[in-house]
Amino acid sequence: MRVLCVAEKPSISKSISQILSGGQFNTTATRSPYIKNYEFNYPQTNSFFTVTCVSGHLTGSDFSDAYRRWNSCDPFELFDAPVETFIPSDKKAIEENLMAQARRADKLMIWTDCDREGEHIGMEIVNVCRRAKRNIVVQRARFSAIIAQQIHRAAQHPVELDRAQAESVEARIMLDLKVGSAFTRMQTLILQKSFAQLSQGNNVVSYGPCQFPTLGFVVQKYNLVKSFVSEPFWYIYLSLTREEEETVFTWKRGHVFDRHVAISLYDFVLSTLPGTPGRVNKVTKKETKKWKPLPLTTVELQKAGSRLLRLAPKKVLDIAESLYQQGFLSYPRTETDQFDPQFDFMSLIQKQTVDPAWGAFASLLTNGDGFSIPRKGKNNDKAHPPIHPTAHAGNLVGDDKRVYEFIARRFLACCSKDAKGWQTTVDVECGGEYFSATGLVVMEKNYLEVYRYDKWEGHSLPDFGENEEFQPSVCELREGKTTKPNLLTEADLVTLMDKNGIGTDATIAQHIETVINRDYVIEKFEGSIKYLIPSTLGIGLVEGYNQINLGISLSKPQLRRETERDMVRVCEGRISKANMLEKTIDQYKEMFIITKREFEKVVSVSDCFCLVSSPDQLRNFLKSVRRYLEGRANGEQREQIHRGGRSDDGGDDDNDVGRGGGRGRGVNRGGSRGTRGRGTARGRGTPAPRSKGRVGEDRQDSNPGAASARICHCNKPAMRLSANTPANQGRLFWKCADMQDCSYFAWDDEPEQGSSKGTQSSLGSDVCFKV
C-alpha cells in the first residue's frame, strides 16, 4: 500500500521521515525550493511511504473582483459579499506536488499540528488531493512531540480528521475577513475625508475583532494611570528591638485614609504608654509550604517569557515552535495544565541528568529522592500534554537557550516537592490596637533548588511567649501615599486577553504584535521592563468608539468573547458553522449601521487627540505624555504614530505565524498591608507632618463647563475632577493639568482664595513615642 504523508512544515516532514525510516530514505526535489519528497518502506504497516509537506496554510480567502477594490461597493455590502477560496501563486508548486503524489497513493495521512489550525490545514490538503484522486482514503496522525515513540504510534494508529475543528477555523477566517474589511474600509474612508494627512500614501486605519479589544485594554489602563490622583493615608508603626534586631509589627487595620481618625487612634495608644505595656496575645507556630508551579501551558509560557525572560510573547512562542520542530520540546500550543496519570516522567527526567547546570537535581529525582507527582490544574484540552522537554539540548545559545532552560527547569520543578518552612506568627495588643509580626525559617527548598525564578526568603523572629509584656522601641504615626498603578506590561495584557477570551492561547501573542506594528500601541521601557501605552491614534479610536451609542462597545471584549465561545461550540458540534456565521454577522451588521451613523463622534474625539495635528502639536502632545509617565526622564517614544497599519483591509489575521485592572496592592514601606485599591500604598516611613490637606480622587467631572474655570499657580486652566473617596464621594475639586510639576488644589465649593493650602492640623511635636 502506498501512503502519502503530508506534514505542515518542511522541518517536520524531514524529522518524521528520519524517525520512521531509521534514516534510510530517498529524497526527491520538487518545483518548490523548500519542499522535498522522502520515500521509504515502512514494514510495520507493510506500506511504502512518501512524506512531503506544505508550508502553512495552502489556501487564501478574499472577495471577488466585484468587491475587492476599496471603492467598488459600500463597505456594508461586504458582510454579504461572496468569498473566494484560492491557491495563492506562491503555493502553486506545492499544489502540483500534492496532486502528482496523490494520483500514485492509496491512502492520504495528514501530519499537520494537532490543533484547530492544523485540522483546517489538513482539510485544505484533503481538498487538493481529492481533486487528483476522489476516492483516496484519508486518515490523521495524532502526536504531541517529534520523538520516536509518538511518531511510530501515530503512523501505526491513525485517527479521523476532525472536520468540526476545521469548520470552526473556516468560520473564523470568513468572519474576520468580512467584519475586518467592512469596518476598516468604512473608518479609513471617512477619516481620510476628514483628515488630509491620512489620505497621503497608503495609510489604513485598520479594524479587527480581536485587535480592537486588545487596544481597548491598553487604553483603559493608560486612562486609569493618567487620571490617578494620589491620596495620603496614615498608619501606626510599632516595633521592638532586641539584640540589635528590629521586629516590626503590622497594624491589623492596615492604614486609614481619614487623618483625624488616625490621630485619635494613635493618641489613645500613646496615652496607654508606658503605663500599660504591649502584650503578646498569641504565638502560632506551624509548618507552611510554598507550592511548586503547575505544569506549563501556552499562556503561562508567554507570561513567564515576558515577565522573567524579558522577551515578547510572540518571540517566546516562535522559539518554542522552533525547539518543537527540532525535537527538543513537546507541542507548544496547549491549554492543558495536568499530566496524564500514565505519563512517563522518569524517562524524560533521565535525559536531563547530563546537563551541567541542573543535571545533579535531575539525578536526585530519578533516584526517587525528591520526586513527586506534578500538581493537577483545572484545564485539559484533551489534545496535548503540558509543555515539557522531550530531549536534552546542550548546544543552544542566546534566547533559544534561555527559553529551553526555563521550560526544562519548570518541568523538573513540577516533578519535585513543594518547598517547606516553619512559620511563626506573633499577635500583640498595644493600647487597644492589634498588631502582628510573621517570621519564616525555610526548612526544605526542594523545587526551589532548580526553579530559580521563584524566591522564598526566610526571616526569623526573636522568641516571644504568650502573655509576655514589652515596651515598644518605636511607636509612631506615619504617613504614606497611594501611588499610581503601573501601565500594562505584555504579561498583564496576555492575562487580560486570556481571561476575557480574546484570541486563543496560540494567537494572543500575534494580536499584541499586531496593535504594536499598526502603531496603535507604543512600547516604552523603564529599565528592563517594557510597558505598553496607546498612541494618540489608538486613544482617539477607542475613546471615539466608546462615545457611540452601542449596546457593547467595539473596543470591549464582550462581543469577541461570545464569538470565541461560539467557535468552541462549532468544534464540539453543538452549532453549525452556518448558524454561527449568520448570528455573528447579524450582530456586527447592526453595530456597523449605528457606528457609521454616529462616526462623527469618532472623528471629533480623534481630532481632540491630535490624530492629524501639525508636527509641532504632535510633538507637544507626546512631550506631555512623556512628562507625565516618565517624570521628565530621558527617553523617546516613536513619533510615527499616525499610520494605521498595513495597506490592506485590516482584520485580525488569526492564523499562527508560519501558517500563512488598576487595583493597587496596598503595600507600604512601613510594613502594613492595605485593603484599599487605589494603586500601591507606600508609607514613607516618617512621622506625619504638622499640616497636610486631604487630596481628592480621580474621576473627571462629566460637565466641566458648568462652573467658571480656575487658573492654577502656573497660570494654566485647571481641570475639574470628581472625588471618589468615602469622605468626599462626588465632591468636585480643581487640579492643574500638569500634576507632576504643579501642586495646585482647590475644592470647587470653597472660595478660591486660600483653598489650596490644606487643612491645618493640631498634630504637634509629640507625634511619636520612643523608649
Side-chain angles (χ1 to χ4, degrees):
M1 177 185 292
R2 297 185 70 95
V3 180
L4 173 61
C5 301
V6 185
E8 190 172 317
K9 309 173 186 72
S11 60
I12 301 297
S13 64
K14 186 173 183 179
S15 295
I16 64 176
S17 295
Q18 290 174 329
I19 291 172
L20 294 176
S21 69
Q24 304 298 313
F25 55 84
N26 295 320
T27 304
T28 306
T30 69
R31 283 209 314 117
S32 171
Y34 311 107
I35 308 298
K36 301 286 192 299
N37 296 335
Y38 306 101
E39 296 182 336
F40 52 89
N41 284 308
Y42 190 61
Q44 288 88 334
T45 59
N46 195 27
S47 304
F48 183 82
F49 276 25
T50 299
V51 181
T52 188
C53 68
V54 292
S55 181
H57 275 282
L58 188 57
T59 63
S61 298
D62 204 350
F63 300 109
S64 62
D65 290 339
Y67 299 91
R68 192 172 298 156
R69 295 182 180 277
W70 273 56
N71 295 308
S72 60
C73 66
D74 187 299
F76 183 79
E77 297 178 32
L78 297 176
F79 286 112
D80 297 315
V83 174
E84 298 178 345
T85 300
F86 57 92
I87 306 290
S89 58
D90 61 340
K91 302 290 181 72
K92 286 292 185 181
I94 299 175
E95 176 192 29
E96 292 174 8
N97 181 56
L98 289 178
M99 295 182 70
Q101 298 303 320
R103 294 187 186 100
R104 304 166 52 208
D106 302 302
K107 182 186 293 185
L108 171 64
M109 189 176 292
I110 302 299
W111 286 80
T112 54
D113 291 344
C114 298
D115 57 7
R116 280 194 224 169
E117 214 72 34
E119 301 301 306
H120 186 262
I121 296 172
M123 284 303 304
E124 293 176 332
I125 295 167
V126 170
N127 292 336
V128 169
C129 290
R130 281 189 167 161
R131 283 171 27 215
K133 192 169 187 177
R134 293 188 59 184
N135 62 343
I136 193 169
V137 176
V138 177
Q139 291 184 319
R140 206 263 195 266
R142 188 163 295 281
F143 57 99
S144 295
I146 312 298
I147 57 177
Q149 180 188 22
Q150 291 205 29
I151 297 302
H152 280 290
R153 184 174 59 198
Q156 296 169 32
H157 303 283
V159 297
E160 294 296 318
L161 197 63
D162 193 332
R163 297 173 185 271
Q165 289 201 47
E167 288 201 335
S168 171
V169 174
E170 189 171 337
R172 192 218 65 231
I173 291 173
M174 297 277 286
L175 183 66
D176 287 351
L177 174 64
K178 292 189 172 190
V179 173
S181 298
F183 277 91
T184 294
R185 290 191 191 183
M186 182 268 292
Q187 69 182 18
T188 300
L189 292 173
I190 294 177
L191 289 172
Q192 284 180 344
K193 291 178 182 178
S194 301
F195 304 115
Q197 184 172 337
L198 284 178
S199 62
Q200 300 172 4
N202 294 318
N203 292 316
V204 175
V205 186
S206 65
Y207 172 87
C210 286
Q211 170 187 318
F212 257 49
T214 302
L215 172 61
F217 290 132
V218 181
V219 173
Q220 183 181 34
K221 190 59 177 287
Y222 169 77
N223 286 339
L224 179 66
V225 173
K226 185 178 179 182
S227 64
F228 178 82
V229 177
S230 183
E231 184 176 11
F233 62 83
W234 290 266
Y235 63 98
I236 298 175
Y237 181 92
L238 188 77
S239 71
L240 175 65
T241 300
R242 284 184 178 175
E243 298 177 357
E244 299 184 352
E245 182 175 345
E246 183 183 39
T247 300
V248 178
F249 294 91
T250 302
W251 193 20
K252 291 285 188 175
R253 296 180 188 269
H255 51 257
V256 295
F257 287 87
D258 190 305
R259 181 168 177 270
H260 298 293
V261 170
I263 293 172
S264 297
L265 293 171
Y266 175 71
D267 283 345
F268 185 80
V269 173
L270 203 62
S271 67
T272 65
L273 297 173
T276 304
R279 182 185 181 191
V280 178
N281 289 338
K282 186 178 181 181
V283 178
T284 305
K285 297 184 178 182
K286 64 178 182 179
E287 185 180 280
T288 186
K289 291 183 178 181
K290 184 171 179 64
W291 301 103
K292 62 187 179 182
L294 284 167
L296 188 61
T297 64
T298 304
V299 168
E300 288 301 317
L301 174 62
Q302 294 174 76
K303 289 160 60 176
S306 175
R307 187 178 65 253
L308 303 174
L309 307 181
R310 307 300 185 202
L311 296 174
K314 177 67 169 51
K315 177 79 177 288
V316 174
L317 276 190
D318 287 346
I319 292 174
E321 174 75 18
S322 173
L323 295 173
Y324 158 70
Q325 293 178 25
Q326 297 175 63
F328 295 134
L329 295 183
S330 62
Y331 190 59
R333 296 185 181 92
T334 177
E335 299 175 7
T336 302
D337 56 5
Q338 52 184 259
F339 284 101
D340 188 83
Q342 284 76 44
F343 191 86
D344 184 6
F345 297 104
M346 285 303 171
S347 64
L348 296 176
I349 296 174
Q350 181 65 45
K351 294 178 180 180
Q352 299 297 323
T353 58
V354 298
D355 191 272
W358 56 82
F361 186 87
S363 296
L364 290 175
L365 297 183
T366 58
N367 294 333
D369 185 8
F371 176 80
S372 177
I373 296 295
R375 294 167 59 196
K376 294 187 69 172
K378 298 179 180 180
N379 305 301
N380 190 341
D381 60 16
K382 306 295 185 182
H384 299 285
I387 303 169
H388 61 273
T390 55
H392 179 253
N395 298 318
L396 299 175
V397 295
D399 291 337
D400 289 19
K401 179 179 180 181
R402 295 169 63 215
V403 171
Y404 177 84
E405 178 179 351
F406 170 77
I407 295 172
R409 288 181 180 272
R410 174 82 171 226
F411 175 68
L412 295 176
C414 288
C415 296
S416 182
K417 296 179 180 179
D418 301 323
K420 295 181 180 180
W422 191 254
Q423 179 177 291
T424 302
T425 302
V426 179
D427 295 304
V428 303
E429 178 185 355
C430 187
E433 292 298 308
Y434 296 91
F435 305 81
S436 67
T438 300
L440 172 69
V441 177
V442 178
M443 309 298 291
E444 299 177 20
K445 297 187 70 174
N446 293 329
Y447 88 90
L448 292 171
E449 297 281 1
V450 71
Y451 197 65
R452 62 185 187 184
Y453 312 98
D454 274 1
K455 305 296 180 186
W456 202 33
E457 302 295 340
H459 171 68
S460 61
L461 290 180
D463 289 331
F464 286 94
E466 290 188 1
N467 299 318
E468 175 185 343
E469 294 184 346
F470 65 93
Q471 289 290 347
S473 304
V474 179
C475 180
E476 297 177 348
L477 181 64
R478 295 191 175 185
E479 180 187 358
K481 182 184 291 186
T482 58
T483 58
K484 65 184 178 183
N486 289 323
L487 294 159
L488 279 184
T489 64
E490 287 179 313
D492 298 331
L493 187 52
V494 169
T495 301
L496 284 171
M497 294 173 70
D498 179 54
K499 181 179 179 180
N500 288 276
I502 303 302
T504 66
D505 58 343
T507 62
I508 284 173
Q510 181 63 51
H511 296 316
I512 295 175
E513 185 177 65
T514 296
V515 296
I516 294 172
N517 289 343
R518 292 180 178 176
D519 294 318
Y520 291 161
V521 171
I522 300 169
E523 297 169 306
K524 170 181 172 289
F525 283 88
E526 288 186 1
S528 61
I529 301 177
K530 178 167 64 178
Y531 292 104
L532 303 175
I533 63 173
S535 67
T536 52
L537 175 58
I539 298 172
L541 289 173
V542 169
E543 295 296 345
Y545 272 105
N546 288 344
Q547 296 295 318
I548 296 177
N549 187 27
L550 296 169
I552 301 175
S553 174
L554 292 172
S555 68
K556 304 299 182 183
Q558 289 89 340
L559 185 57
R560 184 63 188 197
R561 179 169 58 216
E562 182 59 29
T563 301
E564 294 284 355
R565 289 173 179 170
D566 281 343
M567 285 191 279
V568 172
R569 295 184 186 107
V570 173
C571 288
E572 296 170 347
R574 293 161 57 190
I575 60 173
S576 68
K577 178 186 75 173
N579 289 341
M580 179 265 185
L581 281 172
E582 181 181 8
K583 168 193 168 184
T584 308
I585 288 177
D586 283 347
Q587 288 178 311
Y588 277 105
K589 278 183 177 180
E590 182 179 352
M591 301 180 84
F592 182 94
I593 293 171
I594 298 172
T595 300
K596 186 175 181 180
R597 184 176 65 231
E598 301 187 23
F599 200 77
E600 183 58 36
K601 294 179 181 178
V602 178
V603 175
S604 299
V605 174
S606 298
D607 193 20
C608 291
F609 282 96
C610 311
L611 177 60
V612 288
S613 56
S614 68
D616 287 341
Q617 288 175 310
L618 176 59
R619 280 191 290 271
N620 289 337
F621 179 85
L622 288 175
K623 195 179 297 180
S624 68
V625 171
R626 289 195 200 100
R627 183 170 60 246
Y628 181 81
L629 293 174
E630 301 176 1
R632 296 185 180 275
N634 292 329
E636 296 184 358
Q637 294 178 349
R638 288 163 22 203
E639 291 192 12
Q640 195 67 22
I641 64 174
H642 291 313
R643 184 174 59 81
R646 304 171 301 178
S647 300
D648 56 15
D649 268 343
D652 282 319
D653 190 17
D654 237 339
N655 300 339
D656 294 341
V657 173
R659 299 182 169 187
R663 291 187 68 84
R665 295 179 291 277
V667 179
N668 60 64
R669 296 191 191 110
S672 65
R673 180 170 296 277
T675 58
R676 189 154 174 175
R678 294 195 187 95
T680 304
R682 293 179 181 170
R684 298 177 189 162
T686 58
R690 298 176 64 89
S691 174
K692 186 70 178 180
R694 185 171 177 81
V695 183
E697 249 298 0
D698 60 354
R699 294 193 306 198
Q700 189 164 1
D701 180 15
S702 60
N703 188 18
S708 300
R710 298 190 181 185
I711 303 300
C712 67
H713 298 321
C714 53
N715 293 321
K716 295 179 182 178
M719 296 190 304
R720 192 165 70 151
L721 304 171
S722 176
N724 194 31
T725 58
N728 295 290
Q729 185 77 36
R731 190 179 180 188
L732 302 180
F733 65 95
W734 295 87
K735 285 283 292 181
C736 180
D738 191 351
M739 298 179 189
Q740 291 289 323
D741 296 332
C742 181
S743 61
Y744 176 79
F745 173 85
W747 289 114
D748 185 62
D749 56 6
E750 293 180 353
E752 183 171 1
Q753 184 175 6
S755 64
S756 64
K757 295 180 180 178
T759 304
Q760 291 298 315
S761 167
S762 61
L763 199 61
S765 59
D766 59 344
V767 170
C768 61
F769 172 83
K770 296 185 180 182
V771 177

